[in-house]
């Protein structure tokens, strides 16, 4: 695979996700790194990863990484919580010469808010079941009441372009009804698809409950690693964004650009 890798300051940064969700992370990266070129690969054909086995997620993650490395990316962002949980260590071991960044649920910033009440973590069943996530949760359980909330089916709704309206509202109320009316410290969005339905969550819980996701922290970590590895682009003009998808569908590409510009 090494012949695919082109460590070049002006090479693009690759992002991948099980579909359109990782665009929420890419949006933050574009704000922080406006001179970089980005290539985004959404694997909507195999979405969602959150309902697959860990081994299936690993295979799909390597296929996505190989696709982006074939396009000569200088760094790789796994913009998918499920893929990060299942495959990030294996990817780093296989490609030690490439900078690989993963995303994980933003539990630490939620705990650091120091608010009283339950911290709800909305995520896919695979993310919640993985040892990486459970170790993260255990590290904070002495000081905080952390409640995992599996949301099978939510990524599929967003993947279909449904980010607001009655169907999304009904889904969220069905999953979260037992937590409505009680003291919620914060809501952590443990899937990169979920920031796109933040507006609906605010309508249910109100604007006083902090809703936190890992996209901003991941973008900041990417910038730190580019600086550390002397990989920042030296261009003076704005960078570009190319979006690819495993589905042979203009509709999903159009949705991707629409979500990126929300």
């Amino acid at each position: 695979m090494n012949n695919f890798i082109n460590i070049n300051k002006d090479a693009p940064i690759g992002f991948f996700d099980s579909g359109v969700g990782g665009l929420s992370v890419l949006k933050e990266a574009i704000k922080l790194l406006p001179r970089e070129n980005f290539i985004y690969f959404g694997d909507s054909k195999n979405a969602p990863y959150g309902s697959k086995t860990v081994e299936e997620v690993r295979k799909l993650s390597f296929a996505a990484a190989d696709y982006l490395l074939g396009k000569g990316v200088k760094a790789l962002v796994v913009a998918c919580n499920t893929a990060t949980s299942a495959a990030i260590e294996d990817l780093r071991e296989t490609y030690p010469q490439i900078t690989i960044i993963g995303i994980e649920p933003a539990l630490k910033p939620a705990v650091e808010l120091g608010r009283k009440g339950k911290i709800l973590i909305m995520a896919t069943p695979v993310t919640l079941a993985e040892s990486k996530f459970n170790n993260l949760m255990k590290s904070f359980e002495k000081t905080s009441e952390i409640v995992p909330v599996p949301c099978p089916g939510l990524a599929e709704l967003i993947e279909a372009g449904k980010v607001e309206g009655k169907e999304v509202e009904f889904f969220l109320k069905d999953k979260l009804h037992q937590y409505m009316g009680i003291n919620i410290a914060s809501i952590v969005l443990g899937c990169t698809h979920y920031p796109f339905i933040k507006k609906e969550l605010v309508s249910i819980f109100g604007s006083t409950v902090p809703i936190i996701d890992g996209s901003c922290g991941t973008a900041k970590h990417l910038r730190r690693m580019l600086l550390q590895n002397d990989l920042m682009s030296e261009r003076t003009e704005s960078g570009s964004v190319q979006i690819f998808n495993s589905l042979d569908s203009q509709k999903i590409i159009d949705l991707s650009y629409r979500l990126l510009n929300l």
Side-chain angles (χ1 to χ4, degrees):
M1 301 292 177
N2 291 3
N3 59 328
F4 286 155
I5 297 169
N6 174 24
I7 308 292
N8 173 333
K9 286 186 183 184
D10 289 330
I13 298 164
F15 274 67
F16 80 84
D17 179 52
S18 62
V20 299
L23 294 163
S24 63
V25 189
L26 179 55
K27 278 176 82 165
E28 295 300 323
I30 292 168
K31 286 181 206 168
L32 273 184
L33 301 161
R35 293 186 177 86
E36 298 289 348
N37 287 336
F38 296 96
I39 297 178
Y40 182 89
F41 175 72
D43 190 13
S44 295
K45 185 179 178 181
N46 295 298
Y49 286 3
S51 59
K52 299 191 183 313
T53 66
V54 170
E55 194 47 48
E56 284 172 325
V57 174
R58 281 201 187 104
K59 282 180 183 173
L60 292 168
S61 298
F62 269 88
D66 286 349
Y67 177 85
L68 289 165
L69 291 171
K71 292 192 173 291
V73 299
K74 66 180 178 183
L76 189 63
V77 178
V78 184
C80 172
N81 294 83
T82 302
T84 298
S85 293
I88 192 89
E89 300 307 334
D90 291 342
L91 285 168
R92 284 175 177 150
E93 198 173 306
T94 306
Y95 306 112
Q97 60 280 74
I98 202 98
T99 299
I100 301 178
I101 310 293
I103 187 167
E104 56 184 38
L107 193 47
K108 188 180 179 189
V111 169
E112 286 173 348
L113 288 175
R115 287 169 56 96
K116 285 189 166 48
K118 298 178 190 296
I119 297 174
L120 305 184
I121 302 190
M122 298 171 62
T124 67
V126 169
T127 296
L128 294 175
E130 266 293 285
S131 58
K132 185 176 170 65
F133 169 75
N134 279 286
N135 290 338
L136 180 68
M137 197 164 75
K138 278 175 188 165
S139 67
F140 295 112
E141 66 185 7
K142 284 183 182 175
T143 55
S144 304
E145 190 180 357
I146 298 160
V147 182
V149 183
C151 295
L154 182 53
E156 291 93 321
L157 275 179
I158 298 161
E159 199 65 27
K162 295 169 183 175
V163 294
E164 56 187 325
K166 289 292 177 192
E167 196 174 348
V168 176
E169 182 189 351
F170 179 80
F171 180 97
L172 292 173
K173 284 183 175 174
D174 179 58
K175 288 284 179 285
L176 299 163
H177 66 91
Q178 61 188 303
Y179 308 111
M180 291 157 68
I182 65 170
N183 201 15
I184 301 298
S186 60
I187 299 171
V188 176
L189 305 181
C191 171
T192 54
H193 281 74
Y194 299 173
F196 293 116
I197 51 90
K198 193 172 177 180
K199 185 177 170 184
E200 290 291 347
L201 283 172
V202 171
S203 73
I204 294 169
F205 288 97
S207 57
T208 58
V209 175
I211 299 172
I212 303 166
D213 68 85
S215 56
C216 188
T218 303
K220 285 177 179 174
H221 184 48
L222 170 63
R223 184 174 62 179
R224 277 196 303 273
M225 293 305 291
L226 291 176
L227 283 166
Q228 185 178 310
N229 296 328
D230 193 25
L231 284 173
M232 291 282 275
S233 172
E234 293 172 345
R235 276 189 307 274
T236 54
E237 71 275 13
S238 294
S240 63
V241 179
Q242 286 180 288
I243 296 178
F244 299 93
N245 198 285
S246 57
L247 275 183
D248 185 18
S249 159
Q250 189 57 41
K251 187 179 174 185
I252 199 78
I253 298 294
D254 291 343
L255 171 64
S256 298
Y257 281 109
R258 181 163 68 82
L259 290 171
L260 200 55
N261 292 310
L262 271 180

